Amino acid sequence: MSNCDSCSSKGNCNSAGVGCNNKLEPKYGKIKHIIGVISGKGGVGKSTVTGILAAKLSKEGHKVGVLDGDITGPSMPRFFGINNERADMLQVGDSEEIKFRPVETSTGIKVISLNLLTEEEEQPVIWRGPVITGVLKQMYTDTEWDELDYLLIDMPPGTGDIALTIMQELPLEGMVVVSTPQDMVSMIVKKVIIMAQKMGVSVIGVVENMSYIKCEKCGEKINVFSKKSAQEHAEHLGVPLLAEMPINLDLVESMENGTVEEFLSKSDEYEELINNLKNRIM
């Protein structure tokens, strides 16, 4: 039984939509699976993995949404090439409440991000933790998600306020952890995994990004950052290996051109990632 006295939402249950299990629920939609994507440090491709998962799940016919939870470093609009669009803020009836209408990508993925709510995407967010977590929760609860099969949350790296809020207050089905093949990165990723375990959040598995490059002439996989295999790194972390992903310049180019969904619809390189994810949450 939950202890209301220790709940951060005590006294706000009716307005915030928090049930007695201390979990927030969206006001404007129903979501079947909520998956967090996190990393121990920045620059390892966490947002890229989030976008790939979203695009591949959408291609399979699932209704997909993406919540850009990295409030101070949002990048999902850029990934999908929708950074010049803006989400609508709508008044709810005669009240002073507002709700957000997310921007839809070319394949119908619903995306909400702080960069879609500011006038310019370069505008920095200079806020302290409580304000940032409040905005994150509002984007989750007050967005018109309608009915989704999957909501993917692109979480900020590390074990800070937002990660703690998401693990504590959102009904996560599990988390995908993104890493790269270096011992230093693995050490930091281990902190995230231990944090999830302490919070009672399931870790679905790890994606090792930038795991190798592929020779264009012979197709041989060439390790760049470590001689250890992706499986060895996953065993060190103590979680299943969902996939090892190469450095893919064609993917990078498609992201820069705003055509990533078209590129991913024609690529079968990431099928292992999707299949392993779905097998572990079904």
Side-chain angles (χ1 to χ4, degrees):
M1 180 178 297
S2 60
N3 184 353
C4 292
D5 290 332
S6 63
C7 177
S8 61
S9 299
K10 182 184 178 183
N12 297 314
C13 294
N14 292 332
S15 60
V18 181
C20 60
N21 61 352
N22 302 342
K23 300 297 182 182
L24 290 165
E25 296 293 343
K27 297 177 183 177
Y28 309 107
K30 295 182 179 180
I31 304 170
K32 293 180 182 177
H33 305 286
I34 301 179
I35 307 296
V37 183
I38 194 170
S39 63
K41 63 188 299 294
V44 301
K46 165 186 55 64
S47 298
T48 299
V49 171
T50 303
I52 290 171
L53 286 170
K56 285 295 187 179
L57 288 168
S58 178
K59 181 189 174 185
E60 291 187 353
H62 299 290
K63 296 177 181 178
V64 182
V66 174
L67 170 59
D68 195 344
D70 196 347
I71 304 297
T72 59
S75 58
M76 295 314 303
R78 276 272 173 173
F79 179 91
F80 288 109
I82 56 174
N83 48 296
N84 290 324
E85 301 186 40
R86 289 296 174 266
D88 293 325
M89 290 186 284
L90 309 171
Q91 184 175 348
V92 181
D94 296 328
S95 70
E96 295 182 357
E97 290 186 35
I98 62 168
K99 62 180 177 179
F100 306 118
R101 180 170 292 161
V103 174
E104 293 194 21
T105 71
S106 61
T107 61
I109 298 169
K110 297 182 177 183
V111 182
I112 192 68
S113 168
L114 195 63
N115 265 14
L116 298 174
L117 297 169
T118 55
E119 291 185 6
E120 298 179 1
E121 65 173 350
E122 293 89 356
Q123 184 176 332
V125 173
I126 310 174
W127 296 336
R128 293 192 182 275
V131 177
I132 292 175
T133 55
V135 169
L136 169 78
K137 290 190 285 186
Q138 186 177 10
M139 288 199 302
Y140 167 70
T141 59
D142 295 358
T143 295
E144 282 188 340
W145 297 116
D146 296 326
E147 292 193 5
L148 295 180
D149 297 311
Y150 293 90
L151 176 65
L152 303 176
I153 304 177
D154 183 34
M155 299 170 63
T159 57
D161 284 351
I162 292 183
L164 184 62
T165 296
I166 291 173
M167 291 185 196
Q168 279 187 323
E169 301 192 38
L170 271 61
L172 286 180
E173 187 158 349
M175 292 198 319
V176 172
V177 181
V178 182
S179 183
T180 54
Q182 295 126 314
D183 285 344
M184 181 178 292
V185 175
S186 296
M187 176 270 294
I188 301 171
V189 168
K190 189 74 172 180
K191 294 177 182 288
V192 172
I193 293 173
I194 292 173
M195 175 187 183
Q197 292 169 343
K198 289 180 178 292
M199 300 298 299
V201 176
S202 170
V203 176
I204 299 169
V206 62
V207 176
E208 185 172 277
N209 192 30
M210 295 183 275
S211 185
Y212 60 91
I213 58 174
K214 185 178 291 186
C215 177
E216 293 182 357
K217 294 183 179 180
C218 67
E220 180 185 359
K221 290 183 178 181
I222 303 171
N223 292 343
V224 179
F225 297 114
S226 175
K227 293 182 179 180
K228 296 179 182 177
S229 68
Q231 186 60 49
E232 286 178 289
H233 282 286
E235 289 174 358
H236 169 71
L237 295 172
V239 295
L241 176 66
L242 293 179
E244 53 177 332
M245 291 173 31
I247 297 172
N248 189 332
L249 296 182
D250 292 330
L251 173 65
V252 174
E253 185 178 27
S254 72
M255 291 164 56
E256 293 173 347
N257 295 335
T259 58
V260 68
E261 288 175 283
E262 179 183 355
F263 171 82
L264 290 170
S265 70
K266 299 175 181 178
S267 172
D268 58 1
E269 189 164 13
Y270 305 102
E271 299 304 315
E272 177 191 19
L273 171 60
I274 292 298
N275 291 335
N276 284 337
L277 172 71
K278 294 176 70 174
N279 288 339
R280 286 178 170 83
I281 66 176
M282 293 299 186

